Amino acid sequence: MTTAPRPTTPEPSDPKPAAREPILQVRKLVKHFPLTQGIVFKRQVGAVQAVDGVSFDLFPGETLGIVGESGCGKSTVAKLLMNLEEPTSGEIIYRGEDITKLSGRALKTVRRNIQMVFQDPYTSLNPRMTVGDIIGEPFDIHPDVAPKGERRKRVQDLLDVVGLNPEYINRYPHQFSGGQRQRIGIARGLALRPEIIVADEPVSALDVSVQAQVVNLMERLQDEFTLSYMFIAHDLSIVRHISDRVGVMYLGKIVEIGADEEIYSHPTHPYTQALLSAVPVPDPQAREYRERIILQGDVPSPADPPSGCRFRTRCWKAQERCVVEEPLLAVPEVFRGTAGPAEHDSACHFAEEKQVVPPEE
Amino acid sequence: MATSVELSTEEGGTDGGPLLDVRNLHVEFRTREGVARAVNGVEYSVDAGETLAVLGESGSGKSVTAQAIMGILDSPPGFVTQGKIIFQGRDQLKLSTEERRKVRGARMAMIFQDALSSLNPVLNVGEQLGEMFTVHRGMSRKQARAKAIELMERVRIPAAKERIKSYPHQFSGGMRQRVMIAMAMALEPELIIADEPTTALDVTVQAQVMDLLADLQREYNMGLILITHDLGVVADVADKIAVMYAGRIVETSPVHDIYAKPAHPYTKGLLDSIPRLDQKGQELYAIKGLPPNLLHIPPGCAFNPRCPLARDVCRTDVPPLYRVSQERASACHFWKEVLGDDSAPADDA
Ligand SMILES: Nc1ncnc2c1ncn2[C@@H]1O[C@H](COP(=O)(O)OP(=O)(O)OP(=O)(O)O)[C@@H](O)[C@H]1O
Ligand SMILES: Nc1ncnc2c1ncn2[C@@H]1O[C@H](COP(=O)(O)OP(=O)(O)OP(=O)(O)O)[C@@H](O)[C@H]1O
Ligand code: SF4
Ligand code: SF4
Ligand SMILES: [Mg+2]
Ligand SMILES: [Mg+2]
């Protein structure tokens, strides 16, 4: 359906955000954590290749979802964007400037515009600080945003925005439920009126009924404040719900990236296909329909990733070429110029479209 | 598959009765802050070869019910105050500690979420698996070792012969969970209770493990209680489902029916609030409010402060488990309204 060449449609009706200017451009980002020497065997000291050449754009007002299994480097990417880790190499360009090279005042200004919401509402909030202090803390670092006299009012406004009672300002984190604590984390993230929020598994620790409340809140705030989200999660259903575009990571690399429909309904990378097919769908009718791809084995160690394609040790399509030649993240040749939904970046030598998620009713 | 949810008050016999029949089970924790009523009249049953999924939010009493069935409740502070746990025709609550110990492991076994903390870190996996056979079956160490290798092969651990000397921390999460499954399977029990067996695992590994569990269950015709909060996993593997809220079963149903037509507002809310992989959807439905504090469960229906259909009667009268059909039950006064039809008669359980 997608391989037949079709004329490319002219710009204006193009729903892809490519026409807009990205707010954030990540280029060839690398983070290797040095490995200390072994205890028994003195082998050459290696490195955990947590993030190894990741590139993507983030556009104003959009949500970019990042999915992938544990240890693939999602949180490390988030920390690099937040300047909580220093990259081994690569660029993070925010409004035309490489923020990895900035320091001092310039860096401080940039950091104000990129905020983070963490996974664990139980440990990411200081138990000895009141909610007011927690949400108002960013104002200490950036006093220009809210003068001393206005802070209390600002904090109460923020509580109101995230749907918490402004009178809770003097309470402590343990007096709140998980979902409420996540709202506090979001309020703090919003305090400085950032343009970008990096959310690392913001709802993973919450019960389904509470998850929906927080996801809805995040969507509402995005519209209200024109925020760009980078939404990291291992739950592919939530990512589909909230994202405009989705990137799939495996062992420190993005293996496929595209619009949400392109990734979920027209995946071309075998790993994406396996990942999607493994997600349990809450519909017993679908269990007859679905073809499951059960992958063999475990994810290899990021300290010693396979040569060529990193997925080849678990890929059912792997061939000699996959061992020797690394597939680059680009539109695979077979789909180039097809203008169909399979025409998106996928790092596979033998990319093929395969529908694994039942089509929408 | 079971033909009916057993709601009658007759004793489940050895012949014809379900493999496990839990009746009106009550468990409370007597703590310094007060009495937490964690389980308040749970009713469910499982047949041989059948998978019952127990679904519910954190703190709804899923694990505590399982612990009471297994006889491993943390007591004190936990106490079973009422009810019956009829397993293979015998009420477990009437057995001696020694008798229960014999049932445990041999006849019913449990798989926990966190394999690393449930396995012994200082024994290699071969020794741990072998112990099942030396202790329970009086085998020699050599025989037990052979059995352990066989088990590891059965749970598809590659290079079992070599890996038998590995310690739990040397395995990946998925492999550890396989070792746990092997331990549970060792004595070929009739019932396995798996408490969130894949929650800590990645989706692709989760799929491997669930696949294995389902195969083993089929092979040995075991009853399986699968505790989970993932509606997707339920739809994938379960025959029937029991939804828990505040220590009660609020709905039981064959799995097909519940997704198409839930009979309790809580189940309906849960189904509506999950985003779907195969659907983009607009705003998610969100159940308002929070689960109740077990020290102060609301009077009447425990769900009433969060329920869009709640009326006065819900705030005063505890809804019984109404029979919705031959195979379904719902603890809602207005289950017909939820179901969207008025044809079925309402009988009290
Ligand atoms: N400070 C560190 N030192 C050494 N290795 C690290 C460090 N931080 C992360 N790593 C390693 O880098 C890899 C990527 O980790 P990261 O936390 O980014 O993964 P993730 O995709 O967020 O996983 P999860 O889904 O489990 O959160 C892992 O192998 C991890 O062990
Ligand atoms: N040892 C204990 N002492 C006191 N209270 C306990 C104890 N064990 C469990 N409880 C309480 O019993 C209630 C039910 O807990 P249970 O572990 O069964 O929940 P659950 O449904 O399994 O939740 P989760 O999905 O989080 O595992 C909880 O409120 C819990 O705090
Ligand atoms: S490049 Fe080869 S090994 Fe990698 S995903 Fe494609 S087919 Fe599989
Ligand atoms: S009994 Fe009332 S409050 Fe409870 S679920 Fe039914 S309608 Fe809602
Ligand atoms: Mg992470
Ligand atoms: Mg539990």
Side-chain angles (χ1 to χ4, degrees), chain A residues 41-334:
Chain A
F41 304 102
K42 286 253 179 194
R43 283 209 270 140
Q44 197 194 337
V45 182
V48 177
Q49 305 183 14
V51 173
D52 200 44
V54 161
S55 303
F56 61 85
D57 291 335
L58 182 68
F59 295 90
E62 81 161 348
T63 300
L64 173 66
I66 300 284
V67 296
E69 292 177 278
S70 185
C72 69
K74 304 181 297 295
S75 296
T76 306
V77 168
K79 286 180 196 150
L80 290 166
L81 295 186
M82 293 306 300
N83 229 295
L84 297 172
E85 291 278 5
E86 205 166 312
T88 307
S89 63
E91 295 178 339
I92 301 169
I93 298 157
Y94 168 76
R95 297 210 174 276
E97 252 184 320
D98 181 0
I99 62 173
T100 66
K101 305 248 155 51
L102 296 180
S103 60
R105 182 180 291 274
L107 179 63
K108 205 170 131 182
T109 314
V110 169
R111 288 178 80 163
R112 193 186 130 179
N113 288 319
I114 309 178
Q115 293 294 320
M116 186 149 177
V117 174
F118 293 90
Q119 164 171 8
D120 191 351
Y122 298 92
T123 56
S124 63
L125 304 178
N126 186 337
R128 280 177 296 275
M129 282 166 76
T130 65
V131 167
D133 293 338
I134 289 170
I135 298 174
E137 199 181 22
F139 298 139
D140 294 340
I141 307 157
H142 299 274
D144 48 312
V145 180
K148 266 247 161 352
E150 262 182 45
R151 285 201 193 167
R152 195 182 161 81
K153 173 86 181 53
R154 282 288 193 100
V155 169
Q156 286 181 324
D157 287 349
L158 283 163
L159 282 170
D160 191 46
V161 161
V162 298
L164 290 172
N165 190 335
E167 282 162 23
Y168 290 170
I169 190 162
N170 292 323
R171 290 200 184 179
Y172 289 88
H174 75 264
Q175 293 172 290
F176 292 91
S177 71
Q180 288 174 323
R181 277 186 253 213
Q182 202 53 289
R183 286 166 191 264
I184 296 168
I186 293 171
R188 178 175 58 184
L190 286 174
L192 300 174
R193 290 285 172 100
E195 290 176 306
I196 299 170
I197 288 192
V198 177
D200 189 3
E201 310 259 8
V203 295
S204 307
L206 306 176
D207 271 317
V208 257
S209 75
V210 183
Q211 238 174 36
Q213 296 172 354
V214 174
V215 167
N216 286 343
L217 170 70
M218 288 187 69
E219 293 194 303
R220 183 168 59 75
L221 294 172
Q222 179 166 44
D223 292 345
E224 208 170 310
F225 301 105
T226 344
L227 295 164
S228 302
Y229 286 148
M230 182 159 127
F231 190 98
I232 297 169
H234 59 257
D235 183 330
L236 286 106
S237 311
I238 291 199
V239 168
R240 168 151 217 194
H241 177 82
I242 200 168
S243 305
D244 302 300
R245 286 189 310 130
V246 177
V248 181
M249 284 188 75
Y250 187 79
L251 265 186
K253 290 182 186 290
I254 292 183
V255 296
E256 186 164 6
I257 189 166
D260 115 274
E261 174 73 9
E262 292 172 338
I263 300 298
Y264 283 82
S265 301
H266 307 274
T268 67
H269 196 284
Y271 177 63
T272 309
Q273 292 161 357
L275 197 62
L276 286 171
S277 88
V279 178
V281 174
D283 178 357
Q285 238 102 52
R287 91 170 143 185
E288 273 95 66
Y289 177 93
R290 283 167 67 223
E291 179 202 344
R292 275 232 156 150
I293 305 164
I294 304 274
L295 287 179
Q296 298 305 307
D298 289 318
V299 182
S301 159
D304 185 21
S307 65
C309 174
R310 291 189 170 187
F311 183 55
R312 70 175 165 80
T313 54
R314 300 171 83 197
C315 182
W316 66 97
K317 285 163 63 176
Q319 294 180 31
E320 187 53 32
R321 184 176 169 198
C322 311
V323 181
V324 293
E325 188 190 334
E326 185 186 335
L328 300 176
L329 183 63
V331 176
E333 214 167 282
V334 281

Side-chain angles (χ1 to χ4, degrees), chain B residues 59 61-64 67 113 195-196 227:
Chain B
K62 306 181 294 294
S63 299
V64 169
Q67 288 157 9
Q113 168 173 354
D195 192 353
E196 314 246 10
I227 298 173

Side-chain angles (χ1 to χ4, degrees), chain A residues 68-70 177 180 207-213 215-216 219 234 236-244 260 264 271 274-276 278-288 290 292 294-299 314 357-361, chain B residues 56-59 172 174-175 199 202-208 210-211 229-239 255-257 259-260 266 270-271 273-291 306:
Chain A
E69 292 177 278
S70 185
S177 71
Q180 288 174 323
D207 271 317
V208 257
S209 75
V210 183
Q211 238 174 36
Q213 296 172 354
V215 167
N216 286 343
E219 293 194 303
H234 59 257
L236 286 106
S237 311
I238 291 199
V239 168
R240 168 151 217 194
H241 177 82
I242 200 168
S243 305
D244 302 300
D260 115 274
Y264 283 82
Y271 177 63
L275 197 62
L276 286 171
V279 178
V281 174
D283 178 357
Q285 238 102 52
R287 91 170 143 185
E288 273 95 66
R290 283 167 67 223
R292 275 232 156 150
I294 304 274
L295 287 179
Q296 298 305 307
D298 289 318
V299 182
R314 300 171 83 197
V357 176
E360 273 190 60
E361 298 124 38
Chain B
E57 284 178 279
S58 187
S172 70
M175 287 293 165
T199 308
D202 279 318
V203 274
T204 63
V205 183
Q206 186 178 322
Q208 294 169 347
M210 284 313 307
D211 205 45
H229 57 256
D230 188 333
L231 279 151
V233 171
V234 175
D236 262 6
V237 302
D239 299 307
V255 79
H256 277 266
D257 302 347
Y259 286 85
Y266 176 64
L270 278 184
L271 285 169
S273 62
I274 37 166
R276 296 270 307 246
L277 188 66
D278 50 349
Q279 284 161 29
K280 178 86 179 159
Q282 294 306 302
E283 192 178 347
L284 291 175
Y285 174 81
I287 299 176
K288 65 179 182 186
L290 302 166
R306 307 176 74 188

